[in-house]
Amino acid sequence: MEGNVTCLLIDDDADDQELFQYALKQVFPDVNCTFASSGPEAVNILKDDHYAIPDYIFMDWHMPYMDANECIPLLRNAAELEETSIFILSGIEPLITQETINDLGIKRILKKQPSIESLSDELFKAIKEAGQ
């Protein structure tokens, strides 16, 4: 992977945020992660000029205030995300149609893993498949 990689993780669980960053750094040591605990917070981050547009966004499907179905269109409106790959990373696979996945521009749905090693492997595969 060339250069610095940036990720935004949207998840209301601080432990999941920490595990995500640790797992991602296992396979991409130079990754720069920003965290949001809700959809509205993520939208505010993307509107803030102090933050770079992330290369990848990972988000839990079920969150307080708004779920990913509501959040993704707002994220896309808040920033230029044409080059940003969006993944769902959720403990329970959301019940959504392939049409919704396509309409929202979701690259892939990932299940949270029981170990750091398996989560690292899933994140590595997803990012490599996204082509960067």
Side-chain angles (χ1 to χ4, degrees):
M1 217 184 239
E2 302 284 328
N4 250 359
V5 174
T6 58
C7 288
L8 171 62
L9 174 65
I10 309 167
D11 195 314
D12 63 321
D13 187 325
D15 290 337
D16 284 346
Q17 292 176 1
E18 188 176 322
L19 290 172
F20 173 85
Q21 183 170 16
Y22 185 76
L24 193 57
K25 283 190 175 277
Q26 297 301 304
V27 289
F28 300 110
D30 295 329
V31 71
N32 181 16
C33 292
T34 301
F35 302 98
S37 296
S38 67
E41 182 181 354
V43 170
N44 288 336
I45 286 171
L46 290 175
K47 288 181 178 180
D48 189 332
D49 291 338
H50 292 99
Y51 293 97
I53 299 299
D55 300 309
Y56 307 98
I57 295 175
F58 291 85
M59 63 189 315
D60 194 352
W61 184 261
H62 302 285
M63 293 178 298
Y65 308 113
M66 68 175 67
D67 65 20
N69 192 41
E70 300 167 300
C71 183
I72 291 173
L74 294 176
L75 295 174
R76 293 203 185 279
N77 287 337
E80 296 294 322
L81 297 179
E82 291 85 27
E83 302 298 317
T84 300
S85 297
I86 298 177
F87 300 93
I88 300 300
L89 179 63
S90 196
I92 300 170
E93 191 167 327
L95 298 174
I96 57 175
T97 65
Q98 186 61 46
E99 181 180 4
T100 300
I101 291 169
N102 294 341
D103 288 347
L104 292 174
I106 297 169
K107 288 284 187 185
R108 187 169 164 200
I109 297 175
L110 307 168
K111 189 163 178 2
K112 291 180 181 176
Q113 299 295 311
S115 73
I116 294 293
E117 294 79 19
S118 56
L119 180 57
S120 292
D121 186 50
E122 284 296 309
L123 294 172
F124 180 80
K125 288 178 195 175
I127 287 173
K128 284 299 186 184
E129 286 175 11
Q132 295 192 9

